[in-house]
Amino acid sequence: RSGCTWSPGCNWDGESHFNGWCSGSLACVYTSSPQVCEASGCRWIAAKKPVNATAEREMDIAGARIASQTAKAVDDAVKRISPCQGDGGVFENPWCKYIQLQAHCMITPGCNFKGMSSFGGWCEGPSPLCASQPAAFACAALVGCEWTPAAATYAGRKASGPDVAKAAPTAPAPGVAP
């Protein structure tokens, strides 16, 4: 509601923070005063009533609540079905669940594709800095961060077991760099 009432040329049920709006051609739409409106050859339409600020705030709060709940529901649904995940903590990489390609997931710090990571693992902990660390030594340098070894370290190797995210690292095949 406030997005409308604070936009020149808009009104909400006859209410406008500009005490009216300019009507006419496209040049009239974003004009916020009667003087400029009329000087532009447009017609100023006076607001039918003053803005009800209480109702405006209540509608804005309700709208924000609905938007937040919808965003959370979508986020939760994507997290449930995505093969790419973060560490599951409060400060996990929030974008992991939206990465659907295995190669892209595995090269993103803080993410793992069904327990696999090109970095050999991922960093997690009580800070948003943890999830952005691509190497165990960098992870260890941050207080409270902990390196979780990947179930596999290169494309083609299959992870197995019920909890691949916490599985011990597997040895690479001979001649294959991790």
Side-chain angles (χ1 to χ4, degrees):
R1 177 178 175 149
S2 65
C4 175
T5 58
W6 278 108
S7 296
C10 293
N11 75 87
W12 184 274
D13 194 26
E15 297 177 14
S16 167
H17 281 283
F18 302 99
N19 297 317
W21 54 94
C22 195
S23 180
S25 70
L26 290 176
C28 306
V29 177
Y30 294 106
T31 306
S32 59
S33 74
Q35 298 79 11
V36 174
C37 178
E38 291 165 5
S40 300
C42 305
R43 184 172 56 97
W44 184 259
I45 299 172
K48 296 177 186 174
K49 55 190 174 188
V51 172
N52 182 338
T54 301
E56 183 177 71
R57 279 191 295 269
E58 288 171 353
M59 286 187 80
D60 287 348
I61 290 167
R65 183 179 305 114
I66 291 168
S68 175
Q69 290 168 343
T70 302
K72 183 174 180 352
V74 168
D75 201 55
D76 290 347
V78 170
K79 186 165 180 64
R80 279 192 302 275
I81 63 170
S82 179
C84 185
Q85 295 288 324
D87 62 45
V90 175
F91 295 112
E92 73 177 347
N93 182 332
W95 302 111
C96 296
K97 61 189 157 279
Y98 296 107
I99 303 171
Q100 297 301 304
L101 297 176
Q102 179 179 352
H104 294 177
C105 177
M106 290 177 62
I107 63 168
T108 303
C111 299
N112 71 85
F113 190 90
K114 297 181 180 180
M116 296 182 286
S117 168
S118 294
F119 302 109
W122 52 93
C123 189
E124 56 186 282
S127 162
L129 297 174
C130 297
S132 65
Q133 303 309 309
F137 74 87
C139 180
L142 296 172
V143 176
C145 296
E146 182 181 321
W147 187 256
T148 300
T153 57
Y154 63 94
R157 177 165 280 178
K158 302 293 182 203
S160 62
D163 190 7
V164 296
K166 297 292 181 189
T170 57
V176 178

